[in-house]
């Protein structure tokens, strides 16, 4: 059974949803037969390639809130993340476009290391507050994930995999998704948002039963 996850690597609820789904799969009796594939999505395709403003500043402008209000809003998501065993500290991370990170995730998928890189990239941004517009941050994440340094440099210096990223975004739009995380099980069942682990457990069981039927 295949689960496709449309996510952006600077989306807090995508990281939270990732953990919740992982818990559901870990407790699923057919968990070893579940394949998870990450698909690209850009929450802010107009962000600068190299960040110049903090995440809290950009979000405050987006939602029309002052810094204190924006930090309070982000703290609420931080509390939810903490309940899933995650430590968020990204309010002051520089806000940058995530296209290059997604291109590297497509490279990692081709090399069978997508899950490793996704975890490294998410940790870099959310836990350590590093900017994903910084190629050195991406290089380090790729190295930790086990990717070949030469291939990483080739991707960073080119537009390789850009079409794959755009195809993922187009597919999400075709499914009618207007945000992330967005989960599609076996191309038939869609789940929007970082739903509770229990809902993912129910969805896995339902999807598996429909296959057997």
């Amino acid at each position: 059974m295949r689960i496709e996850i449309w996510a952006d690597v600077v989306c807090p609820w995508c990281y939270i949803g990732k953990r919740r789904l992982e818990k559901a799969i870990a407790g699923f009796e057919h968990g070893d037969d579940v394949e998870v594939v990450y698909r690209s999505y850009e929450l802010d395709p107009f962000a600068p390639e190299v960040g110049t403003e903090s995440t809290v500043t950009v979000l405050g402008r987006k939602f029309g809130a002052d810094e204190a209000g924006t930090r309070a809003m982000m703290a609420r998501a931080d509390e939810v993340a903490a309940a899933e065993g995650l430590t968020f500290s990204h309010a002051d991370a520089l806000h940058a476009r995530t296209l290059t990170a997604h291109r590297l995730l497509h490279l990692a998928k081709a090399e069978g290391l997508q899950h490793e890189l996704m975890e490294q990239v998410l940790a870099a941004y959310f836990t350590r507050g590093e900017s994903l517009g910084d190629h050195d941050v991406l290089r380090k994440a790729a190295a930790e994930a086990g990717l070949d340094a030469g291939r990483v440099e080739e991707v960073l210096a080119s537009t390789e995999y850009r079409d794959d990223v755009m195809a993922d975004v187009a597919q999400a739009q075709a499914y009618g998704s207007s945000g992330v995380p967005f989960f599609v099980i076996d191309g038939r069942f869609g789940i929007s948002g970082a739903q509770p682990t229990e809902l993912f457990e129910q969805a896995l069981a339902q999807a598996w039963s429909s296959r057997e039927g």
Side-chain angles (χ1 to χ4, degrees):
M1 186 163 67
R2 179 184 242 206
I3 302 176
E4 295 170 281
I5 307 174
W6 274 262
D8 199 355
V9 288
V10 292
C11 163
W13 297 103
C14 293
Y15 204 178
I16 292 167
K18 178 180 186 293
R19 279 293 184 270
R20 290 176 172 176
L21 176 64
E22 287 169 349
K23 290 178 181 178
I25 293 174
F28 183 48
E29 61 178 324
H30 304 290
D32 290 342
D33 297 312
V34 175
E35 176 193 15
V36 176
V37 176
Y38 289 97
R39 299 296 188 190
S40 304
Y41 194 93
E42 287 190 275
L43 287 172
D44 187 3
F46 302 106
E49 295 288 342
V50 178
T52 59
E53 293 183 295
S54 69
T55 296
V56 70
T57 297
V58 173
L59 288 180
R61 185 165 58 244
K62 177 180 179 181
F63 294 110
D66 61 15
E67 181 174 337
T70 305
R71 287 186 183 275
M73 175 188 70
M74 296 182 74
R76 289 191 286 273
D78 295 349
E79 291 174 3
V80 177
E84 301 300 333
L86 298 169
T87 300
F88 280 6
S89 182
H90 64 292
D92 296 305
L94 293 179
H95 176 76
R97 190 177 184 187
T98 56
L99 174 62
T100 300
H102 283 299
R103 293 195 298 110
L104 284 177
L105 282 164
H106 275 278
L107 168 65
K109 179 177 178 291
E111 300 294 334
L113 294 169
Q114 190 184 42
H115 288 255
E116 289 82 356
L117 183 59
M118 176 62 84
E119 191 63 32
Q120 290 295 331
V121 169
L122 290 171
Y125 178 72
F126 286 103
T127 301
R128 298 192 294 276
E130 299 172 342
S131 175
L132 299 185
D134 185 335
H135 283 194
D136 284 340
V137 170
L138 295 177
R139 287 186 182 98
K140 181 180 178 181
E144 292 290 338
L147 285 169
D148 177 76
R151 282 294 290 127
V152 170
E153 291 303 323
E154 289 175 359
V155 172
L156 289 176
S158 69
T159 60
E160 189 175 356
Y161 294 112
R162 185 184 186 281
D163 289 347
D164 298 270
V165 174
M166 295 301 107
D168 281 352
V169 174
Q171 182 61 67
Q173 294 169 344
Y175 276 136
S177 174
S178 58
V180 287
F182 181 61
F183 306 80
V184 176
I185 304 176
D186 266 356
R188 298 176 297 141
F189 300 94
I191 301 173
S192 294
Q195 299 296 331
T197 298
E198 293 75 20
L199 188 146
F200 284 121
E201 291 172 343
Q202 295 168 9
L204 290 172
Q206 179 184 357
W208 191 270
S209 295
S210 71
R211 287 166 58 96
E212 292 182 334

